[in-house]
Amino acid sequence: MTEHTVILRNVSKVYRQNAVAVQALTDINLEIPRKDFLCLSGPSGSGKSTLLNLIGGLDKPTTGEITVAGERVDQLGKGGLARLRLHKIGFVFQAYNLIPVLTARENVEFVMQLQGRSPAERGAKAREILQEVGLEGLEGRRPGELSGGQQQRVAVARAIVSEPSLVLADEPTANLDSKTAENLMQLLVHMNKEHHVTFIFSTHDRLVMDFSRRLIKLHDGRIVDDEKRGAGAVG
Amino acid sequence: MNVTLRFAWRNLWRHARRTWLTASAIAFSAALLVFMITLQLGAYDMMIDTSLRVYTGQLQVQRSGYLDKPQMRSTVPEAAALAAELRAAGFPAVAARAQGFALASSGSRSYGVPVSGVEPKYEPLVSTIPKRLAQGRYLREADAYEAVIGATLARNLKIKVGDELTLLGSGRDGSVAATIVPVVGIFDSGNPELDRHLVQLPLAAFQEVFSMGSDAHAIVLSGMELRELPKAATRARALLPADRELVVLEWQELLPGIEQAIEADMVQNWFTYIILIIVVTFSILNTFLMSVLERTREFGVMLALGATPYRIGSLVMVESVLLALLGLGIGLVVGGGLAVYFHLEGFTFPGMAELYAQFGLPGRIHAKLSFNAIAVGPAVIFLFTVVAALYPALRIRRLAPVEAMHAV
Ligand SMILES: Nc1ncnc2c1ncn2[C@@H]1O[C@H](COP(=O)(O)OP(=O)(O)O)[C@@H](O)[C@H]1O
Ligand SMILES: [Mg+2]
């Protein structure tokens, strides 16, 4: 478990809906070291979301073992998974990430509140992290009053603020224009460096892939390419 | 403000109109219940009060055991003197009564009837009979030999005012008690029992005829507020001579039928109330369910962030409780306002006041203001609302993050 944040062994996922079985992932083996900045790419339906959900403990693999931050995700119960997600994993989704009635700052504080941190600590950390993602002065706005890029920045702030080992981002730039997407990727790169957090994100946008240090290509639920890249994150 | 509270409060106002509609339904039912229950309890008090005013009185001093077995020798000794003492101690309406049984005859007809000896000066304070004379006048002198009788009895005996009535019974010592007295008045109390049976004599005359000495069988107390009666009873008990086996009886013992009638009526009313509450509860449940279902995706995100279903369920519960409290608050203000108004002004049906006035009784129901009368309706609504809120809150336990996030 030493240097690997995520280890997958022979992971498969079959969705059964009525009589139809969909093989979403087949025999995935993967080791992701600490502080990696990894991109899952592949066409729509290739299994990117499924893989991220399995790693994040949002869903169970049909077969295989998944270890995240030293814990067997496939064997944890509901409570254990909630605890793991709360303390070890941050999520950024494609859209509608934020709780609409809470302000940017309250969205960020929400996870810290779940973690049981004191109000004083929550306030200070929220202010600090929102400043870091470039939202100074917008802390009091609700998601509806923020642009798509700003909303994703809040989501990144919220994912990082719980001090996780791993951040999972499922197509975080899908709803953003290319300039905004690039800025967001730069922010992720920055977070990866500054906070020593492993990042796994998915995309089918070539521009976004170029930020990764390791690029995994999925096709029909199988890994078809695993490419180490020097550029991008390490800079 | 607490974070969860603030969060819940804002969630309520995502659909302001729906929230107001639901709160209004809760408010309306709460106000209605407060109004109906305070009025209903006020009506019971009026019913008790009017029943007691007719003849029984609010409290009675009797010899212990007399109530269950009314024997002539179970007396209150020195009754008039004791009544005077109670009067001096501040009791507003006190009258001594003796009771016996006699064969009442006039010419050809005879009936067995209860005969009572009353203090003409004080009896009007504890009974409506002296005010309900259909013919003639009420008794005047404490020691005069004269009688007033009920209208039905007079008709049955074919007696008019001025005619003579023969009473034949037995005295306390078993001796023959017999007298002939002129009927000076005929009363029509509105109570069929009393009108058919009762013969009243002045107490002193009764005591002589029935060999009672200065004893009687009851000291009737009245003229107090219903809610003061338990205290008044305690105070009266303290004033009784210790060695004479006297007891102070309250109205529940004197007229047990009233309490039973009230309880039966209460059960019937609550049946109606509960149906109303259930109807309102279902509309609330519908709102709660909708508000949970439409946020499935949001709950999915919260689960992904590490919130437990329990936590989200608690949030939903807090929302429901806030909504219920909002509605109940408005309902309490409106219902409480109505209750205060009808407490002060009284409530009457067309014709009710006139009808009651005929019997010398007040014809307005005054809503009862007490913590219980006001709080019990809203409390029951609150209970039902919380139970209704549990269902959607518990459904969240079944939520799986991935499916939840795929929901629209
Ligand atoms: N909840 C589900 N039920 C049934 N099939 C699913 C479900 N989620 C995904 N799939 C199927 O699994 C395959 C992989 O989907 P997904 O992981 O969403 O791909 P991607 O994110 O790369 O577009 C697809 O064929 C998709 O239709
Ligand atoms: Mg996807």
mmCIF file with all atom_site columns, all heavy atoms in Angstrom, chain B residues 345-366:
data_model
loop_
_atom_site.group_PDB
_atom_site.id
_atom_site.type_symbol
_atom_site.label_atom_id
_atom_site.label_alt_id
_atom_site.label_comp_id
_atom_site.label_asym_id
_atom_site.label_entity_id
_atom_site.label_seq_id
_atom_site.pdbx_PDB_ins_code
_atom_site.Cartn_x
_atom_site.Cartn_y
_atom_site.Cartn_z
_atom_site.occupancy
_atom_site.B_iso_or_equiv
_atom_site.pdbx_formal_charge
_atom_site.auth_seq_id
_atom_site.auth_comp_id
_atom_site.auth_asym_id
_atom_site.auth_atom_id
_atom_site.pdbx_PDB_model_num
ATOM 1   N N   . GLU B 1 345 ? -66.084 37.590 24.588 1.00 0.00 ? 345 GLU B N   1
ATOM 2   C CA  . GLU B 1 345 ? -67.390 37.976 24.057 1.00 0.00 ? 345 GLU B CA  1
ATOM 3   C C   . GLU B 1 345 ? -68.446 36.892 24.214 1.00 0.00 ? 345 GLU B C   1
ATOM 4   O O   . GLU B 1 345 ? -69.638 37.179 24.241 1.00 0.00 ? 345 GLU B O   1
ATOM 5   C CB  . GLU B 1 345 ? -67.253 38.305 22.556 1.00 0.00 ? 345 GLU B CB  1
ATOM 6   C CG  . GLU B 1 345 ? -66.492 39.588 22.282 1.00 0.00 ? 345 GLU B CG  1
ATOM 7   C CD  . GLU B 1 345 ? -67.237 40.806 22.818 1.00 0.00 ? 345 GLU B CD  1
ATOM 8   O OE1 . GLU B 1 345 ? -68.445 40.924 22.520 1.00 0.00 ? 345 GLU B OE1 1
ATOM 9   O OE2 . GLU B 1 345 ? -66.609 41.606 23.530 1.00 0.00 ? 345 GLU B OE2 1
ATOM 10  N N   . GLY B 1 346 ? -67.998 35.651 24.293 1.00 0.00 ? 346 GLY B N   1
ATOM 11  C CA  . GLY B 1 346 ? -68.960 34.558 24.333 1.00 0.00 ? 346 GLY B CA  1
ATOM 12  C C   . GLY B 1 346 ? -69.449 34.238 22.932 1.00 0.00 ? 346 GLY B C   1
ATOM 13  O O   . GLY B 1 346 ? -69.329 35.054 22.021 1.00 0.00 ? 346 GLY B O   1
ATOM 14  N N   . PHE B 1 347 ? -69.969 33.062 22.820 1.00 0.00 ? 347 PHE B N   1
ATOM 15  C CA  . PHE B 1 347 ? -70.419 32.568 21.521 1.00 0.00 ? 347 PHE B CA  1
ATOM 16  C C   . PHE B 1 347 ? -71.850 32.110 21.699 1.00 0.00 ? 347 PHE B C   1
ATOM 17  O O   . PHE B 1 347 ? -72.189 31.454 22.673 1.00 0.00 ? 347 PHE B O   1
ATOM 18  C CB  . PHE B 1 347 ? -69.527 31.391 21.106 1.00 0.00 ? 347 PHE B CB  1
ATOM 19  C CG  . PHE B 1 347 ? -69.851 30.812 19.766 1.00 0.00 ? 347 PHE B CG  1
ATOM 20  C CD1 . PHE B 1 347 ? -69.237 31.301 18.619 1.00 0.00 ? 347 PHE B CD1 1
ATOM 21  C CD2 . PHE B 1 347 ? -70.767 29.767 19.657 1.00 0.00 ? 347 PHE B CD2 1
ATOM 22  C CE1 . PHE B 1 347 ? -69.528 30.750 17.383 1.00 0.00 ? 347 PHE B CE1 1
ATOM 23  C CE2 . PHE B 1 347 ? -71.056 29.220 18.419 1.00 0.00 ? 347 PHE B CE2 1
ATOM 24  C CZ  . PHE B 1 347 ? -70.439 29.714 17.289 1.00 0.00 ? 347 PHE B CZ  1
ATOM 25  N N   . THR B 1 348 ? -72.711 32.487 20.775 1.00 0.00 ? 348 THR B N   1
ATOM 26  C CA  . THR B 1 348 ? -74.094 32.054 20.935 1.00 0.00 ? 348 THR B CA  1
ATOM 27  C C   . THR B 1 348 ? -74.713 31.693 19.598 1.00 0.00 ? 348 THR B C   1
ATOM 28  O O   . THR B 1 348 ? -74.327 32.242 18.567 1.00 0.00 ? 348 THR B O   1
ATOM 29  C CB  . THR B 1 348 ? -74.919 33.146 21.647 1.00 0.00 ? 348 THR B CB  1
ATOM 30  O OG1 . THR B 1 348 ? -76.205 32.626 21.913 1.00 0.00 ? 348 THR B OG1 1
ATOM 31  C CG2 . THR B 1 348 ? -75.022 34.420 20.823 1.00 0.00 ? 348 THR B CG2 1
ATOM 32  N N   . PHE B 1 349 ? -75.597 30.722 19.629 1.00 0.00 ? 349 PHE B N   1
ATOM 33  C CA  . PHE B 1 349 ? -76.352 30.381 18.437 1.00 0.00 ? 349 PHE B CA  1
ATOM 34  C C   . PHE B 1 349 ? -77.608 31.242 18.422 1.00 0.00 ? 349 PHE B C   1
ATOM 35  O O   . PHE B 1 349 ? -78.071 31.659 19.476 1.00 0.00 ? 349 PHE B O   1
ATOM 36  C CB  . PHE B 1 349 ? -76.766 28.911 18.469 1.00 0.00 ? 349 PHE B CB  1
ATOM 37  C CG  . PHE B 1 349 ? -75.631 27.971 18.571 1.00 0.00 ? 349 PHE B CG  1
ATOM 38  C CD1 . PHE B 1 349 ? -75.334 27.355 19.777 1.00 0.00 ? 349 PHE B CD1 1
ATOM 39  C CD2 . PHE B 1 349 ? -74.840 27.692 17.472 1.00 0.00 ? 349 PHE B CD2 1
ATOM 40  C CE1 . PHE B 1 349 ? -74.275 26.476 19.881 1.00 0.00 ? 349 PHE B CE1 1
ATOM 41  C CE2 . PHE B 1 349 ? -73.787 26.810 17.568 1.00 0.00 ? 349 PHE B CE2 1
ATOM 42  C CZ  . PHE B 1 349 ? -73.505 26.205 18.767 1.00 0.00 ? 349 PHE B CZ  1
ATOM 43  N N   . PRO B 1 350 ? -78.175 31.463 17.253 1.00 0.00 ? 350 PRO B N   1
ATOM 44  C CA  . PRO B 1 350 ? -79.433 32.217 17.212 1.00 0.00 ? 350 PRO B CA  1
ATOM 45  C C   . PRO B 1 350 ? -80.470 31.506 18.082 1.00 0.00 ? 350 PRO B C   1
ATOM 46  O O   . PRO B 1 350 ? -80.652 30.301 17.967 1.00 0.00 ? 350 PRO B O   1
ATOM 47  C CB  . PRO B 1 350 ? -79.835 32.173 15.738 1.00 0.00 ? 350 PRO B CB  1
ATOM 48  C CG  . PRO B 1 350 ? -78.575 31.858 15.004 1.00 0.00 ? 350 PRO B CG  1
ATOM 49  C CD  . PRO B 1 350 ? -77.709 31.074 15.919 1.00 0.00 ? 350 PRO B CD  1
ATOM 50  N N   . GLY B 1 351 ? -81.100 32.232 18.974 1.00 0.00 ? 351 GLY B N   1
ATOM 51  C CA  . GLY B 1 351 ? -82.145 31.649 19.812 1.00 0.00 ? 351 GLY B CA  1
ATOM 52  C C   . GLY B 1 351 ? -81.658 31.018 21.092 1.00 0.00 ? 351 GLY B C   1
ATOM 53  O O   . GLY B 1 351 ? -82.422 30.780 22.015 1.00 0.00 ? 351 GLY B O   1
ATOM 54  N N   . MET B 1 352 ? -80.336 30.749 21.147 1.00 0.00 ? 352 MET B N   1
ATOM 55  C CA  . MET B 1 352 ? -79.818 30.050 22.326 1.00 0.00 ? 352 MET B CA  1
ATOM 56  C C   . MET B 1 352 ? -79.954 30.888 23.593 1.00 0.00 ? 352 MET B C   1
ATOM 57  O O   . MET B 1 352 ? -80.390 30.394 24.640 1.00 0.00 ? 352 MET B O   1
ATOM 58  C CB  . MET B 1 352 ? -78.360 29.708 22.072 1.00 0.00 ? 352 MET B CB  1
ATOM 59  C CG  . MET B 1 352 ? -77.698 29.003 23.215 1.00 0.00 ? 352 MET B CG  1
ATOM 60  S SD  . MET B 1 352 ? -76.079 28.420 22.671 1.00 0.00 ? 352 MET B SD  1
ATOM 61  C CE  . MET B 1 352 ? -75.109 28.858 24.064 1.00 0.00 ? 352 MET B CE  1
ATOM 62  N N   . ALA B 1 353 ? -79.589 32.181 23.482 1.00 0.00 ? 353 ALA B N   1
ATOM 63  C CA  . ALA B 1 353 ? -79.634 33.047 24.655 1.00 0.00 ? 353 ALA B CA  1
ATOM 64  C C   . ALA B 1 353 ? -81.060 33.146 25.192 1.00 0.00 ? 353 ALA B C   1
ATOM 65  O O   . ALA B 1 353 ? -81.282 33.044 26.404 1.00 0.00 ? 353 ALA B O   1
ATOM 66  C CB  . ALA B 1 353 ? -79.100 34.428 24.301 1.00 0.00 ? 353 ALA B CB  1
ATOM 67  N N   . GLU B 1 354 ? -82.039 33.285 24.282 1.00 0.00 ? 354 GLU B N   1
ATOM 68  C CA  . GLU B 1 354 ? -83.429 33.413 24.706 1.00 0.00 ? 354 GLU B CA  1
ATOM 69  C C   . GLU B 1 354 ? -83.888 32.145 25.425 1.00 0.00 ? 354 GLU B C   1
ATOM 70  O O   . GLU B 1 354 ? -84.515 32.192 26.478 1.00 0.00 ? 354 GLU B O   1
ATOM 71  C CB  . GLU B 1 354 ? -84.339 33.667 23.488 1.00 0.00 ? 354 GLU B CB  1
ATOM 72  C CG  . GLU B 1 354 ? -84.165 35.031 22.822 1.00 0.00 ? 354 GLU B CG  1
ATOM 73  C CD  . GLU B 1 354 ? -82.919 35.124 21.951 1.00 0.00 ? 354 GLU B CD  1
ATOM 74  O OE1 . GLU B 1 354 ? -82.219 34.104 21.801 1.00 0.00 ? 354 GLU B OE1 1
ATOM 75  O OE2 . GLU B 1 354 ? -82.643 36.222 21.426 1.00 0.00 ? 354 GLU B OE2 1
ATOM 76  N N   . LEU B 1 355 ? -83.516 31.004 24.807 1.00 0.00 ? 355 LEU B N   1
ATOM 77  C CA  . LEU B 1 355 ? -83.913 29.731 25.383 1.00 0.00 ? 355 LEU B CA  1
ATOM 78  C C   . LEU B 1 355 ? -83.376 29.588 26.805 1.00 0.00 ? 355 LEU B C   1
ATOM 79  O O   . LEU B 1 355 ? -84.091 29.222 27.730 1.00 0.00 ? 355 LEU B O   1
ATOM 80  C CB  . LEU B 1 355 ? -83.375 28.605 24.493 1.00 0.00 ? 355 LEU B CB  1
ATOM 81  C CG  . LEU B 1 355 ? -83.749 27.195 24.939 1.00 0.00 ? 355 LEU B CG  1
ATOM 82  C CD1 . LEU B 1 355 ? -85.223 26.944 24.667 1.00 0.00 ? 355 LEU B CD1 1
ATOM 83  C CD2 . LEU B 1 355 ? -82.909 26.155 24.198 1.00 0.00 ? 355 LEU B CD2 1
ATOM 84  N N   . TYR B 1 356 ? -82.082 29.892 26.973 1.00 0.00 ? 356 TYR B N   1
ATOM 85  C CA  . TYR B 1 356 ? -81.459 29.744 28.282 1.00 0.00 ? 356 TYR B CA  1
ATOM 86  C C   . TYR B 1 356 ? -82.032 30.736 29.274 1.00 0.00 ? 356 TYR B C   1
ATOM 87  O O   . TYR B 1 356 ? -82.186 30.436 30.450 1.00 0.00 ? 356 TYR B O   1
ATOM 88  C CB  . TYR B 1 356 ? -79.944 29.896 28.176 1.00 0.00 ? 356 TYR B CB  1
ATOM 89  C CG  . TYR B 1 356 ? -79.260 28.596 27.862 1.00 0.00 ? 356 TYR B CG  1
ATOM 90  C CD1 . TYR B 1 356 ? -79.395 28.015 26.608 1.00 0.00 ? 356 TYR B CD1 1
ATOM 91  C CD2 . TYR B 1 356 ? -78.501 27.932 28.819 1.00 0.00 ? 356 TYR B CD2 1
ATOM 92  C CE1 . TYR B 1 356 ? -78.791 26.815 26.312 1.00 0.00 ? 356 TYR B CE1 1
ATOM 93  C CE2 . TYR B 1 356 ? -77.894 26.733 28.533 1.00 0.00 ? 356 TYR B CE2 1
ATOM 94  C CZ  . TYR B 1 356 ? -78.041 26.179 27.276 1.00 0.00 ? 356 TYR B CZ  1
ATOM 95  O OH  . TYR B 1 356 ? -77.450 24.989 26.996 1.00 0.00 ? 356 TYR B OH  1
ATOM 96  N N   . ALA B 1 357 ? -82.328 31.955 28.781 1.00 0.00 ? 357 ALA B N   1
ATOM 97  C CA  . ALA B 1 357 ? -82.821 32.999 29.680 1.00 0.00 ? 357 ALA B CA  1
ATOM 98  C C   . ALA B 1 357 ? -84.115 32.557 30.352 1.00 0.00 ? 357 ALA B C   1
ATOM 99  O O   . ALA B 1 357 ? -84.359 32.858 31.517 1.00 0.00 ? 357 ALA B O   1
ATOM 100 C CB  . ALA B 1 357 ? -83.041 34.293 28.904 1.00 0.00 ? 357 ALA B CB  1
ATOM 101 N N   . GLN B 1 358 ? -84.940 31.792 29.631 1.00 0.00 ? 358 GLN B N   1
ATOM 102 C CA  . GLN B 1 358 ? -86.180 31.289 30.209 1.00 0.00 ? 358 GLN B CA  1
ATOM 103 C C   . GLN B 1 358 ? -85.944 30.498 31.481 1.00 0.00 ? 358 GLN B C   1
ATOM 104 O O   . GLN B 1 358 ? -86.790 30.433 32.361 1.00 0.00 ? 358 GLN B O   1
ATOM 105 C CB  . GLN B 1 358 ? -86.890 30.363 29.215 1.00 0.00 ? 358 GLN B CB  1
ATOM 106 C CG  . GLN B 1 358 ? -87.550 31.084 28.069 1.00 0.00 ? 358 GLN B CG  1
ATOM 107 C CD  . GLN B 1 358 ? -88.138 30.083 27.096 1.00 0.00 ? 358 GLN B CD  1
ATOM 108 O OE1 . GLN B 1 358 ? -88.445 28.947 27.462 1.00 0.00 ? 358 GLN B OE1 1
ATOM 109 N NE2 . GLN B 1 358 ? -88.286 30.498 25.847 1.00 0.00 ? 358 GLN B NE2 1
ATOM 110 N N   . PHE B 1 359 ? -84.785 29.841 31.547 1.00 0.00 ? 359 PHE B N   1
ATOM 111 C CA  . PHE B 1 359 ? -84.506 29.018 32.710 1.00 0.00 ? 359 PHE B CA  1
ATOM 112 C C   . PHE B 1 359 ? -83.569 29.723 33.683 1.00 0.00 ? 359 PHE B C   1
ATOM 113 O O   . PHE B 1 359 ? -82.998 29.108 34.567 1.00 0.00 ? 359 PHE B O   1
ATOM 114 C CB  . PHE B 1 359 ? -83.908 27.671 32.274 1.00 0.00 ? 359 PHE B CB  1
ATOM 115 C CG  . PHE B 1 359 ? -84.825 26.909 31.379 1.00 0.00 ? 359 PHE B CG  1
ATOM 116 C CD1 . PHE B 1 359 ? -84.671 26.939 30.009 1.00 0.00 ? 359 PHE B CD1 1
ATOM 117 C CD2 . PHE B 1 359 ? -85.894 26.188 31.919 1.00 0.00 ? 359 PHE B CD2 1
ATOM 118 C CE1 . PHE B 1 359 ? -85.539 26.246 29.184 1.00 0.00 ? 359 PHE B CE1 1
ATOM 119 C CE2 . PHE B 1 359 ? -86.767 25.505 31.095 1.00 0.00 ? 359 PHE B CE2 1
ATOM 120 C CZ  . PHE B 1 359 ? -86.602 25.527 29.722 1.00 0.00 ? 359 PHE B CZ  1
ATOM 121 N N   . GLY B 1 360 ? -83.438 31.009 33.474 1.00 0.00 ? 360 GLY B N   1
ATOM 122 C CA  . GLY B 1 360 ? -82.612 31.794 34.390 1.00 0.00 ? 360 GLY B CA  1
ATOM 123 C C   . GLY B 1 360 ? -81.141 31.472 34.261 1.00 0.00 ? 360 GLY B C   1
ATOM 124 O O   . GLY B 1 360 ? -80.393 31.527 35.229 1.00 0.00 ? 360 GLY B O   1
ATOM 125 N N   . LEU B 1 361 ? -80.706 31.111 33.044 1.00 0.00 ? 361 LEU B N   1
ATOM 126 C CA  . LEU B 1 361 ? -79.307 30.714 32.853 1.00 0.00 ? 361 LEU B CA  1
ATOM 127 C C   . LEU B 1 361 ? -78.661 31.585 31.785 1.00 0.00 ? 361 LEU B C   1
ATOM 128 O O   . LEU B 1 361 ? -79.337 32.094 30.896 1.00 0.00 ? 361 LEU B O   1
ATOM 129 C CB  . LEU B 1 361 ? -79.262 29.256 32.392 1.00 0.00 ? 361 LEU B CB  1
ATOM 130 C CG  . LEU B 1 361 ? -79.798 28.248 33.405 1.00 0.00 ? 361 LEU B CG  1
ATOM 131 C CD1 . LEU B 1 361 ? -79.994 26.897 32.744 1.00 0.00 ? 361 LEU B CD1 1
ATOM 132 C CD2 . LEU B 1 361 ? -78.857 28.138 34.588 1.00 0.00 ? 361 LEU B CD2 1
ATOM 133 N N   . PRO B 1 362 ? -77.349 31.758 31.873 1.00 0.00 ? 362 PRO B N   1
ATOM 134 C CA  . PRO B 1 362 ? -76.653 32.535 30.848 1.00 0.00 ? 362 PRO B CA  1
ATOM 135 C C   . PRO B 1 362 ? -76.604 31.730 29.554 1.00 0.00 ? 362 PRO B C   1
ATOM 136 O O   . PRO B 1 362 ? -76.355 30.533 29.581 1.00 0.00 ? 362 PRO B O   1
ATOM 137 C CB  . PRO B 1 362 ? -75.250 32.721 31.416 1.00 0.00 ? 362 PRO B CB  1
ATOM 138 C CG  . PRO B 1 362 ? -75.072 31.593 32.351 1.00 0.00 ? 362 PRO B CG  1
ATOM 139 C CD  . PRO B 1 362 ? -76.422 31.234 32.876 1.00 0.00 ? 362 PRO B CD  1
ATOM 140 N N   . GLY B 1 363 ? -76.820 32.343 28.425 1.00 0.00 ? 363 GLY B N   1
ATOM 141 C CA  . GLY B 1 363 ? -76.932 31.607 27.169 1.00 0.00 ? 363 GLY B CA  1
ATOM 142 C C   . GLY B 1 363 ? -75.738 31.751 26.256 1.00 0.00 ? 363 GLY B C   1
ATOM 143 O O   . GLY B 1 363 ? -75.862 31.579 25.042 1.00 0.00 ? 363 GLY B O   1
ATOM 144 N N   . ARG B 1 364 ? -74.586 32.100 26.784 1.00 0.00 ? 364 ARG B N   1
ATOM 145 C CA  . ARG B 1 364 ? -73.418 32.250 25.920 1.00 0.00 ? 364 ARG B CA  1
ATOM 146 C C   . ARG B 1 364 ? -72.332 31.280 26.355 1.00 0.00 ? 364 ARG B C   1
ATOM 147 O O   . ARG B 1 364 ? -72.081 31.104 27.539 1.00 0.00 ? 364 ARG B O   1
ATOM 148 C CB  . ARG B 1 364 ? -72.881 33.683 25.993 1.00 0.00 ? 364 ARG B CB  1
ATOM 149 C CG  . ARG B 1 364 ? -73.874 34.714 25.486 1.00 0.00 ? 364 ARG B CG  1
ATOM 150 C CD  . ARG B 1 364 ? -73.277 36.101 25.556 1.00 0.00 ? 364 ARG B CD  1
ATOM 151 N NE  . ARG B 1 364 ? -72.539 36.448 24.354 1.00 0.00 ? 364 ARG B NE  1
ATOM 152 C CZ  . ARG B 1 364 ? -73.127 36.836 23.226 1.00 0.00 ? 364 ARG B CZ  1
ATOM 153 N NH1 . ARG B 1 364 ? -74.432 36.895 23.146 1.00 0.00 ? 364 ARG B NH1 1
ATOM 154 N NH2 . ARG B 1 364 ? -72.402 37.157 22.188 1.00 0.00 ? 364 ARG B NH2 1
ATOM 155 N N   . ILE B 1 365 ? -71.698 30.678 25.332 1.00 0.00 ? 365 ILE B N   1
ATOM 156 C CA  . ILE B 1 365 ? -70.565 29.813 25.614 1.00 0.00 ? 365 ILE B CA  1
ATOM 157 C C   . ILE B 1 365 ? -69.313 30.671 25.588 1.00 0.00 ? 365 ILE B C   1
ATOM 158 O O   . ILE B 1 365 ? -69.058 31.367 24.605 1.00 0.00 ? 365 ILE B O   1
ATOM 159 C CB  . ILE B 1 365 ? -70.428 28.717 24.550 1.00 0.00 ? 365 ILE B CB  1
ATOM 160 C CG1 . ILE B 1 365 ? -71.706 27.892 24.466 1.00 0.00 ? 365 ILE B CG1 1
ATOM 161 C CG2 . ILE B 1 365 ? -69.225 27.842 24.824 1.00 0.00 ? 365 ILE B CG2 1
ATOM 162 C CD1 . ILE B 1 365 ? -71.738 26.958 23.274 1.00 0.00 ? 365 ILE B CD1 1
ATOM 163 N N   . HIS B 1 366 ? -68.542 30.621 26.644 1.00 0.00 ? 366 HIS B N   1
ATOM 164 C CA  . HIS B 1 366 ? -67.278 31.354 26.646 1.00 0.00 ? 366 HIS B CA  1
ATOM 165 C C   . HIS B 1 366 ? -66.143 30.377 26.409 1.00 0.00 ? 366 HIS B C   1
ATOM 166 O O   . HIS B 1 366 ? -65.984 29.411 27.162 1.00 0.00 ? 366 HIS B O   1
ATOM 167 C CB  . HIS B 1 366 ? -67.108 32.107 27.966 1.00 0.00 ? 366 HIS B CB  1
ATOM 168 C CG  . HIS B 1 366 ? -68.049 33.262 28.072 1.00 0.00 ? 366 HIS B CG  1
ATOM 169 N ND1 . HIS B 1 366 ? -67.737 34.518 27.626 1.00 0.00 ? 366 HIS B ND1 1
ATOM 170 C CD2 . HIS B 1 366 ? -69.326 33.325 28.525 1.00 0.00 ? 366 HIS B CD2 1
ATOM 171 C CE1 . HIS B 1 366 ? -68.774 35.314 27.810 1.00 0.00 ? 366 HIS B CE1 1
ATOM 172 N NE2 . HIS B 1 366 ? -69.755 34.619 28.357 1.00 0.00 ? 366 HIS B NE2 1
#
